[in-house]
C-alpha cells in the first residue's frame, strides 16, 4: 500500500499532484475506517495512524486542512 511519506518523497510529482494523491489516500483511509467501525472489525489496526500520517503530509505541503468530524467518516 502506498504511504503518505512515499508520496511526499516522490520527486517526479508536483506539489499539486502530491496533494491530489494524498487526498485520494485520505478518502480511502476514511472509507476503511468507516467500514471497520460499521462492520465490527478492529478499528485499531493501523488505520488511525495512516489517517494521521496523511493529514500530517498534507500539512507539510500547506494544503487546505481536510474536513474533520463524524460526518467525514
Amino acid at each position: 500500500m502506498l504511504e503518505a511519506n512515499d508520496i511526499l518523497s516522490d520527486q517526479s510529482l508536483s506539489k499539486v499532484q502530491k496533494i491530489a494523491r494524498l487526498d485520494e489516500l485520505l478518502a480511502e483511509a476514511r472509507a476503511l475506517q468507516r467500514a471497520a467501525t460499521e462492520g465490527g472489525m478492529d478499528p485499531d489496526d493501523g488505520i488511525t495512524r495512516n489517517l494521521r500520517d496523511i493529514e500530517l503530509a498534507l500539512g507539510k505541503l500547506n494544503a487546505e486542512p481536510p474536513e474533520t468530524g463524524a460526518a467525514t467518516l
Side-chain angles (χ1 to χ4, degrees), residues 23 26 30 51 54-56 58-59 63-69 72:
D23 283 340
L26 183 63
R30 283 184 173 159
L51 280 171
I54 297 165
E55 290 170 351
L56 288 172
L58 285 166
E64 290 293 316
E67 292 182 25
T68 58
T72 60

Side-chain angles (χ1 to χ4, degrees), residues 3-19:
E3 300 229 0
N5 287 330
D6 297 331
I7 294 170
L8 279 180
S9 64
D10 188 341
Q11 298 299 317
S12 68
L13 298 174
S14 70
K15 178 181 175 181
V16 172
Q17 290 171 315
K18 288 178 183 183
I19 292 170

Side-chain angles (χ1 to χ4, degrees), residues 21-64:
R21 292 215 178 154
L22 287 167
D23 283 340
E24 290 172 10
L25 202 58
L26 183 63
E28 290 173 13
R30 283 184 173 159
L32 285 172
Q33 188 176 48
R34 184 173 42 252
T37 56
E38 291 175 358
M41 296 167 46
D42 181 11
D44 191 30
D45 61 359
I47 295 171
T48 302
R49 182 189 59 82
N50 287 343
L51 280 171
R52 183 72 181 136
D53 290 347
I54 297 165
E55 290 170 351
L56 288 172
L58 285 166
K60 287 180 182 177
L61 294 171
N62 295 318
E64 290 293 316

